[in-house]
Amino acid sequence: MDLRKPLGSKIKYFRKQKGLTQEQLAEKIGIETNTLSNVETGKSFMSFKVFQKLPEILEVQPYEFFIYDENLTVEYKEQLAKKIKKNKNSRVLFLIENILKQIN
């Protein structure tokens, strides 16, 4: 299994959670913005030396980059969350949002 895409997706997710742009994160870890873009899309990956900087900068545990279900991608979760927010039933929304928080 090629891990570049799911790892890139996790990096993008954590970057956005931290409120950083690609430019800001790339500068903090010492790579070019286009390199980070390629990493986030799964086209390439960074060196381990650079990767080691991510947990501290993004304030996550290193193992969190490797927890994923290939059938439930970060993008899918985000799309699902948007659909749920359009739902008028606030009790359903509350329940589903809590479930999504548990699986993120």
Side-chain angles (χ1 to χ4, degrees):
M1 169 191 247
D2 187 357
L3 294 177
R4 288 179 298 179
K5 188 162 180 130
L7 282 172
S9 181
K10 281 287 190 150
I11 292 168
K12 179 179 179 180
Y13 175 78
F14 291 136
R15 173 181 61 77
K16 287 185 171 189
Q17 291 294 310
K18 187 74 175 152
L20 297 172
T21 64
Q22 283 185 335
E23 293 82 10
Q24 291 168 325
L25 181 57
E27 183 178 328
K28 287 179 183 282
I29 60 176
I31 62 174
E32 297 294 322
T33 304
N34 65 333
T35 301
L36 180 57
S37 176
N38 286 335
V39 167
E40 288 185 352
T41 58
K43 294 177 185 170
S44 64
F45 201 67
M46 59 188 70
S47 71
F48 183 71
K49 185 176 181 178
V50 173
F51 181 74
Q52 290 182 112
K53 298 175 185 178
L54 289 175
E56 183 177 342
I57 292 167
L58 298 175
E59 298 179 355
V60 297
Q61 294 297 315
Y63 70 86
E64 293 181 79
F65 290 99
F66 301 98
I67 298 174
Y68 62 89
D69 179 342
E70 64 187 63
N71 297 317
L72 192 58
T73 64
V74 172
E75 289 84 8
Y76 177 79
K77 290 180 197 176
E78 289 173 352
Q79 290 173 359
L80 183 58
K82 287 177 186 177
K83 290 178 183 178
I84 291 167
K85 287 181 181 179
K86 291 179 183 177
N87 188 316
K88 303 288 185 210
N89 187 334
S90 62
R91 293 175 72 195
V92 172
L93 176 62
F94 176 78
L95 176 64
I96 295 175
E97 283 180 336
N98 282 316
I99 292 169
L100 288 175
K101 286 178 186 176
Q102 295 295 319
I103 62 175
N104 273 334

